[in-house]
């Protein structure tokens, strides 16, 4: 917006015009080819195992990978049921999140409510010395731009090669004015005050924003350029649990229930991805999995199942979290009195965002990832 060189502005406008024309051409081609794009979505076992091995260096039998995820789903389900029964006696677990969901910010305060969580959470991270936070720019909380409103919330951060201290944006998706009152309430129920804090932990402190600030300091351009899906999402998802384990929220059971509900969602993604792509599970069966085990309503459960058809890698949220938890435990044993969470987290984030087996090699030497 500050550019005044007319020749450059002309070249930018011409390039933008060509890009827009190409995008419209792709859109038209996709519409015309839609009939040819409705075949079988499943990768199959061989391709799925190759995806794990080449993308994340997870080289183990798929039966074993699945068993690890299903066992974690059972552990989180039992933890959720037990805490729900103590916190809301006589209430079915599937109704617990509906109860929490009614305690949400009003429409006009959603973005400001998200912003109000930032300072509190960052202060906890710094007071407990959980991880070093590189100083670089600020975080602005704003409504999600319309073209990105396929997600509830997200971070948009400056790239690792940016030299200026540009701001990062924590986007929170508001209700749409044309929605009915029921639709607005359903959307806002996903932003109850407890889940909202879990989302801020995941997206900002000490999740994606902190990891991406560390990425700018990665020791090579290669490490700044390439990032592991399991590392990035595993770190942010790990932080949701780690923060509560370290005392954030002072043991409020509603915060733990929200964290466990987020974990159950990711656990179901893990199981649904493998079973849909390698074991014959259909979209309807996957939808039931999200309804019954993640306690989701039918519509968002089906959206989660459909996402698995084109994003088989969404198992990496849980897979990455489990790998980081195992690596942390093994570092604690190996480092003895030299272990601290800050040292472990700083060492891990200082690597960039490599596949987690490589992260393990760098911190401990070769060993099991899961």
């Amino acid at each position: 917006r500050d550019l005044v060189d007319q020749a450059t502005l002309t070249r930018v406008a011409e390039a933008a015009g060509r890009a827009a024309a190409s995008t419209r051409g792709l859109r038209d081609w996709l519409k015309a080819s839609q009939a040819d794009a409705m075949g079988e979505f499943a990768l199959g076992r061989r391709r799925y195992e190759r995806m794990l091995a080449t993308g994340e260096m997870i080289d183990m039998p798929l039966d074993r990978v699945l068993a690890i995820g299903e066992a974690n789903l059972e552990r989180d389900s039992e933890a959720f049921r037990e805490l729900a029964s103590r916190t809301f006696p006589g209430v079915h677990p599937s109704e617990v999140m509906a109860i929490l969901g009614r305690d949400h910010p009003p429409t006009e305060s959603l973005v400001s409510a998200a912003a109000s969580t930032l300072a509190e959470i960052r202060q906890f991270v710094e007071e407990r010395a959980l991880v070093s936070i590189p100083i670089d720019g600020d975080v602005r909380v704003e409504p999600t731009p319309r073209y990105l409103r396929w997600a509830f919330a997200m971070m948009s951060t400056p790239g690792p090669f940016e030299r200026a201290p540009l701001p990062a944006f924590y986007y929170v998706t508001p209700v749409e004015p044309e929605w009915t009152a029921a639709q607005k309430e359903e959307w806002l129920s996903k932003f109850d005050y407890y889940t909202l804090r879990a989302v801020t932990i995941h997206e900002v402190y000490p999740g994606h924003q902190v990891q991406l600030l560390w990425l700018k300091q990665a020791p090579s351009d290669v490490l700044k350029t390439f990032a592991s899906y399991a590392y990035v999402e595993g770190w942010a998802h790990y932080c949701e649990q780690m923060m509560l384990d370290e005392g954030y929220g002072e043991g409020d059971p509603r915060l733990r229930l929200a964290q466990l509900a987020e974990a159950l969602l990711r656990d179901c993604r893990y199981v649904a991805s493998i079973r849909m792509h390698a074991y014959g599970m259909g979209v309807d069966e996957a939808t039931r999995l999200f309804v019954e085990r993640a306690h989701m309503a039918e519509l968002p459960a089906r959206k989660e199942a459909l996402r698995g058809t084109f994003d088989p890698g969404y198992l990496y949220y849980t897979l990455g979290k489990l790998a980081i938890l195992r690596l942390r435990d093994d570092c604690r044993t190996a480092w003895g009195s030299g272990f601290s969470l800050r040292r472990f987290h700083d060492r891990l984030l200082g690597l960039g965002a490599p596949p987690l087996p490589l992260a393990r090699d760098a911190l401990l030497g070769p060993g099991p990832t899961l």
Side-chain angles (χ1 to χ4, degrees), residues 170-188:
Y170 175 23
Y171 289 134
V172 180
T173 303
V175 300
E176 301 293 354
E178 66 271 16
W179 286 355
T180 66
Q183 288 173 322
K184 291 178 180 179
E185 178 62 26
E186 181 180 3
W187 186 260
L188 290 170

Side-chain angles (χ1 to χ4, degrees), residues 80 88 93-106 110 184-196 254 257-258 261 295:
F80 185 92
F88 299 97
S94 63
E95 296 299 318
V96 168
M97 292 313 296
I99 294 173
L100 296 182
R102 290 194 283 271
D103 189 11
H104 60 71
L110 178 58
K184 291 178 180 179
E185 178 62 26
E186 181 180 3
W187 186 260
L188 290 170
S189 72
K190 307 301 182 185
F191 288 108
D192 65 83
Y193 288 106
Y194 317 102
T195 303
L196 187 56
R254 296 166 298 181
L257 285 168
H295 312 297

Side-chain angles (χ1 to χ4, degrees), residues 160-321:
F161 295 102
E162 291 287 355
R163 298 183 182 276
L166 301 173
F169 293 91
Y170 175 23
Y171 289 134
V172 180
T173 303
V175 300
E176 301 293 354
E178 66 271 16
W179 286 355
T180 66
Q183 288 173 322
K184 291 178 180 179
E185 178 62 26
E186 181 180 3
W187 186 260
L188 290 170
S189 72
K190 307 301 182 185
F191 288 108
D192 65 83
Y193 288 106
Y194 317 102
T195 303
L196 187 56
R197 282 192 270 179
V199 171
T200 300
I201 289 169
H202 182 106
E203 299 293 343
V204 192
Y205 302 125
H208 288 316
Q209 169 66 359
V210 173
Q211 188 263 321
L212 289 164
L213 288 176
W214 273 91
L215 187 64
K216 295 186 72 171
Q217 303 179 12
S220 76
D221 286 351
V222 170
L223 290 172
K224 291 178 181 179
T225 303
F226 297 100
S228 153
Y229 191 166
Y231 182 110
V232 172
E233 292 300 348
W235 166 258
H237 187 37
Y238 157 83
C239 287
E240 298 168 27
Q241 177 179 323
M242 179 272 294
M243 286 283 285
L244 269 63
D245 290 347
E246 293 305 307
Y248 177 72
E250 300 179 338
D252 187 336
R254 296 166 298 181
L255 275 174
R256 180 62 79 176
L257 285 168
Q259 179 262 312
L260 285 168
E262 292 292 286
L264 287 171
L265 166 61
R266 276 53 171 265
D267 293 341
C268 288
R269 286 176 179 174
Y270 185 121
V271 173
S273 172
I274 297 175
R275 287 205 168 275
M276 283 198 294
H277 284 277
Y279 291 84
M281 176 181 274
V283 171
D284 289 344
E285 188 179 355
T287 300
R288 289 196 299 274
L289 175 71
F290 284 101
V291 169
E292 295 169 4
R293 304 303 299 274
H295 312 297
M296 299 181 71
E298 178 78 18
L299 179 59
R302 180 160 289 273
K303 287 186 176 182
E304 284 291 339
L306 288 171
R307 174 178 168 179
T309 65
F310 61 84
D311 180 16
Y314 77 164
L315 90 156
Y316 289 137
Y317 289 77
T318 293
L319 188 149
K321 170 186 169 181

Side-chain angles (χ1 to χ4, degrees), residues 331-351:
C331 285
R332 190 190 304 272
T333 299
W335 297 353
S337 61
F339 178 88
S340 71
L341 276 181
R342 177 178 236 164
R343 182 188 177 202
F344 170 70
H345 292 154
D346 286 4
R347 289 280 304 278
L348 179 64
L349 293 176
L351 298 172

Side-chain angles (χ1 to χ4, degrees), residues 322-335 339 344 360 364:
L322 294 177
I324 291 171
L325 285 169
R326 174 153 191 174
L327 178 57
R328 186 185 71 182
D329 289 345
D330 291 348
C331 285
R332 190 190 304 272
T333 299
W335 297 353
F339 178 88
F344 170 70
R360 182 184 182 90
L364 287 178

Side-chain angles (χ1 to χ4, degrees), residues 4-186:
V4 295
D5 180 69
Q6 189 58 49
T8 301
L9 286 172
T10 299
R11 291 199 302 272
V12 169
E14 291 173 349
R18 291 193 298 272
S22 294
T23 301
R24 287 192 291 270
L26 175 60
R27 176 202 62 193
D28 294 342
W29 180 83
L30 288 171
K31 286 183 177 180
S33 305
Q34 184 177 5
D36 297 327
M38 303 303 289
E40 175 58 52
F41 67 83
L43 292 174
R45 184 182 183 116
R46 182 180 64 82
R47 290 191 183 95
Y48 199 97
E49 288 182 330
R50 185 178 178 188
M51 178 190 79
L52 294 175
T54 59
E56 298 292 341
M57 301 180 69
I58 303 297
D59 190 10
M60 57 192 302
L62 195 55
D63 290 346
R64 177 61 181 150
V65 178
L66 176 60
I68 290 170
E70 290 184 327
N72 195 67
L73 173 58
E74 291 300 326
R75 285 193 296 271
D76 286 341
S77 293
E78 179 57 31
F80 185 92
R81 285 192 297 267
E82 192 276 331
L83 183 56
S85 67
R86 285 194 287 110
T87 309
F88 299 97
V91 178
H92 192 277
S94 63
E95 296 299 318
V96 168
M97 292 313 296
I99 294 173
L100 296 182
R102 290 194 283 271
D103 189 11
H104 60 71
T107 299
E108 65 277 8
S109 302
L110 178 58
V111 173
S112 62
S116 71
T117 65
L118 289 178
E120 170 205 4
I121 293 173
R122 177 166 182 156
Q123 181 179 355
F124 181 88
V125 171
E126 293 177 332
E127 287 179 350
R128 296 299 180 96
L130 298 179
V131 62
S132 301
I133 302 178
I135 299 173
D136 187 9
D138 65 320
V139 177
R140 301 178 187 176
V141 187
E142 295 191 1
T144 307
R146 283 192 171 272
Y147 71 93
L148 288 175
R149 291 187 181 179
W150 48 266
F152 286 101
M154 66 180 67
M155 279 300 301
S156 178
T157 60
F161 295 102
E162 291 287 355
R163 298 183 182 276
L166 301 173
F169 293 91
Y170 175 23
Y171 289 134
V172 180
T173 303
V175 300
E176 301 293 354
E178 66 271 16
W179 286 355
T180 66
Q183 288 173 322
K184 291 178 180 179
E185 178 62 26
E186 181 180 3

